[in-house]
Amino acid sequence: MAQINPSILSADFARLAEEARAVEGADWLHVDVMDNHFVPNLTLGVPVVESLSRATDTPLDCHLMMEDPDRWAPQYVEAGAGSVTFHAEAAGAPVRLAREIRAKGARAAMALKPATPVEPYEDLLPELDMLLVMTVEPGFGGQAFLDIMLPKIRRTRELINKHGLELWLQVDGGVSESTIERCAEAGADVFVAGSAVYGAEDPAQAVRTLRERADRTIASAPWACDHGATAR
Ligand code: DX5
Ligand code: ZN
């Protein structure tokens, strides 16, 4: 089954609690943390995540676009995140960090920028609950989907199936009604959508439409027949 994670980067930051409620049917709320060093943009930090986790029942999927996640990521678990994603390019000790995130009680995830290959991380995959394949350069919402990432999604799904892992495969960037099926067909099962959800007149309806399209595609995707769609 597909999971749809609206990104609050495209929401109104002055009304975050309300914007979270506007997508209550979503599986997770995707929270983009940017430090203005790892990416050329600045968003929010631990105090906002803390407040947001109290304001919504939807679990928080924190995507940390920051340097030195080894130092900061555990604080996002303490702030109430149900899933914490650090970037492979920024982590000093990704295995130790993933174990620490899990030990603190959250799902551990690792993200790959478009130019970062998945193959060097094959042996690390069992340490993770989710791998995020970025389908734009991280930093901003509303960018065009990078089709050239589809082969990487495909290769990542092959690695997951090869090792029989219960690893979710998330895509983030430019995911919309017109690109979600390509991602699902290639092997993604968790979909972040910012502008496609919050830019829509009815965000809750946008989530339903994205989910329908992804579910329909996954139901007939060869990769899902091998091991069944990942469990929720
Ligand atoms: C970009 C962020 C994304 C962003 C996606 O660096 O990681 O989560 O919000 O926005 P859209 O869906 O508009 O591309
Ligand atoms: Zn993100």
Side-chain angles (χ1 to χ4, degrees):
M1 294 289 285
Q3 299 187 62
I4 308 295
N5 303 6
S7 168
I8 56 157
L9 185 62
S10 296
D12 180 350
F13 274 28
R15 300 186 300 113
L16 283 183
E18 228 176 287
E19 296 277 66
R21 281 193 293 273
V23 293
E24 248 162 15
D27 296 277
W28 298 77
L29 208 55
H30 185 82
V31 180
D32 288 304
V33 177
M34 304 187 188
D35 69 349
N36 207 26
H37 292 276
F38 183 71
V39 288
N41 198 2
L42 185 68
T43 54
L44 50 86
V46 168
V48 175
V49 170
E50 242 165 34
S51 300
L52 196 56
S53 76
R54 282 195 299 269
T56 176
D57 291 333
T58 308
L60 304 184
D61 157 33
C62 284
H63 176 194
L64 307 182
M65 284 159 277
M66 55 163 62
E67 287 178 359
D68 204 5
D70 304 68
R71 176 172 175 195
W72 302 108
Q75 291 189 28
Y76 287 84
V77 185
E78 284 158 22
S83 174
V84 175
T85 304
F86 57 86
H87 265 267
E89 304 84 1
V95 173
R96 189 173 63 203
L97 181 54
R99 289 183 180 178
E100 192 180 346
I101 291 169
R102 279 178 160 180
K104 283 187 169 297
R107 296 178 60 88
M110 190 172 78
L112 306 175
K113 287 167 73 170
T116 306
V118 65
E119 286 77 8
Y121 298 100
E122 179 172 354
D123 293 341
L124 263 70
L125 298 181
E127 301 287 337
L128 302 169
D129 297 299
M130 183 169 77
L131 191 88
L132 164 52
V133 172
M134 291 300 302
T135 42
V136 298
E137 288 296 341
F140 300 92
Q143 302 181 75
F145 179 77
L146 291 175
D147 265 294
I148 54 164
M149 290 299 110
L150 290 170
K152 183 155 89 178
I153 298 169
R154 229 166 249 130
R155 291 196 305 273
T156 306
R157 176 53 65 184
E158 280 165 17
L159 290 177
I160 294 170
N161 282 355
K162 172 180 158 195
H163 295 284
L165 300 171
E166 284 286 327
L167 180 73
W168 294 350
L169 176 44
Q170 185 179 56
V171 284
D172 181 10
V175 176
S176 68
E177 278 184 38
S178 58
T179 58
I180 195 165
E181 286 157 324
R182 269 176 275 167
C183 296
E185 194 272 323
D189 56 2
V190 183
F191 305 86
V192 176
S195 46
V197 169
Y198 283 107
E201 215 156 282
D202 181 349
Q205 180 56 45
V207 169
R208 285 193 291 274
T209 306
L210 289 168
R211 189 195 304 288
E212 275 164 28
R213 292 194 177 209
D215 276 342
R216 203 177 334 119
T217 307
I218 290 174
S220 61
W223 64 262
C225 300
D226 294 351
H227 288 271
T230 45
R232 289 179 60 181

